[in-house]
Amino acid sequence: MPEQIWTDVDDYLVSLFPSDPILDRVLESADQADLPNIHVSAAQGRLLSVLARSVEARSILEIGTLAGYCAIWLARTLPTDGHLVTLEADAKCAAISRANLEAAGLAERVTVVEGAALETLPAVKTDHPAGFDFIFIDADKESYPDYWRWALELSHPGTMIVADNVVRDGRVVDSGDDHPQILGTRRFLEAAAAEPGVFTGFLQTVGAKGYDGLSVSVVGQT
Ligand code: SAH
Ligand code: DHB
Ligand code: MG
């Protein structure tokens, strides 16, 4: 659970900006559908948008859509002829996301691909042979090592790859914690750190979503 002060500070930071009825409505739609409240926070949505803008992303891949909250943040950074592809295993989440992206006026720029990501990624590669400028990994943690390989496969020099939830309340350093999600996270971190030709940094985070962290990698750098 997040400490109250982390949530208060997140609320304060977000309150510095105008309210956003479209994104508020997305969170409401997720609540109404009993989806877990595991969207990125508003502050993180902003930060991811800064990162996507910093590489002038015209093409974005997200793995793990949920209700489309983060997809909307990221798709808003795209030029009108840009595109975002987001992968979602759950049919209910895919349907809710499509409706939310439509309501946000982003349906033309975004494709929600329904199905387990490891099954849909081969066709994503066929459809997008040039790969993506920005990739956000945020689906099942067990598969992060596989998503890392796919992200590299779908990258070009300059692609930025960001992964969510790499700290998980510090569980990542608890040697007694061998939950498959934590093992997947550790294998991912080890693979990213060891990857030749990719430069990776890590950021521990606190906020409305508790204590966690992000990795940020740039392809084609040493
Ligand atoms: N990026 C979203 C949150 C994603 S939550 C946001 O911040 O708004 C993780 C999502 O990954 C869930 O919707 C879950 O259904 C989906 N998921 C889990 N396993 C998956 C898989 N194998 N392939 C694709 N999506 C998966
Ligand atoms: C979980 C998944 C997430 O992507 C996240 O940001 C927080 C929690 C989860 O599966 O518990
Ligand atoms: Mg996440």
Side-chain angles (χ1 to χ4, degrees):
M1 281 303 287
E3 302 216 6
Q4 190 59 45
I5 187 75
W6 303 343
T7 304
D8 291 347
V9 171
D10 251 3
D11 289 347
Y12 163 68
L13 295 173
V14 171
S15 78
L16 300 172
F17 299 95
S19 65
D20 194 322
I22 290 178
L23 287 173
D24 291 347
R25 180 71 204 107
V26 171
L27 298 182
E28 275 170 34
S29 76
D31 266 356
Q32 280 163 10
D34 279 325
L35 300 185
N37 186 10
I38 56 174
H39 330 265
V40 294
S41 69
Q44 289 167 339
R46 283 192 171 276
L47 179 67
L48 292 169
S49 303
V50 170
L51 295 175
R53 287 169 199 265
S54 74
V55 295
E56 299 180 77
R58 304 176 65 82
S59 56
I60 298 177
L61 173 67
E62 177 184 50
I63 308 179
T65 316
L66 193 59
Y69 180 79
C70 187
I72 291 173
W73 274 110
L74 289 172
R76 284 174 173 175
T77 72
L78 291 168
T80 42
D81 62 344
H83 63 273
L84 181 146
V85 176
T86 181
L87 312 184
E88 176 53 54
D90 183 79
K92 181 169 93 168
C93 290
I96 290 169
S97 302
R98 288 192 183 106
N100 286 334
L101 286 154
E102 178 81 39
L106 292 165
E108 281 185 8
R109 256 177 275 178
V110 181
T111 310
V112 180
V113 177
E114 192 177 318
L118 292 176
E119 285 167 28
T120 58
L121 277 159
V124 171
K125 178 159 167 69
T126 307
D127 292 346
H128 301 272
F132 296 87
D133 303 326
F134 185 92
I135 300 176
F136 181 49
I137 300 173
D138 194 21
D140 53 310
K141 314 310 164 195
E142 293 87 339
S143 302
Y144 269 37
D146 298 309
Y147 297 147
W148 173 249
R149 299 257 49 100
W150 271 107
L152 295 174
E153 185 72 29
L154 290 163
S155 291
H156 54 73
T159 295
M160 183 175 283
I161 304 170
V162 178
D164 195 24
N165 311 117
V166 304
V167 173
R168 304 301 296 269
D169 282 307
R171 288 175 62 191
V172 76
V173 295
D174 177 356
S175 55
D177 192 335
D178 60 357
H179 191 288
Q181 291 189 4
I182 298 299
L183 296 181
T185 305
R186 282 192 202 116
R187 295 291 93 78
F188 159 76
L189 291 169
E190 289 156 13
E195 196 69 44
V198 179
F199 196 91
T200 296
F202 304 105
L203 182 68
Q204 299 191 65
T205 57
V206 296
K209 301 290 168 168
Y211 168 38
D212 215 320
L214 296 172
S215 69
V216 183
S217 307
V218 185
V219 175
Q221 309 277 319
T222 51

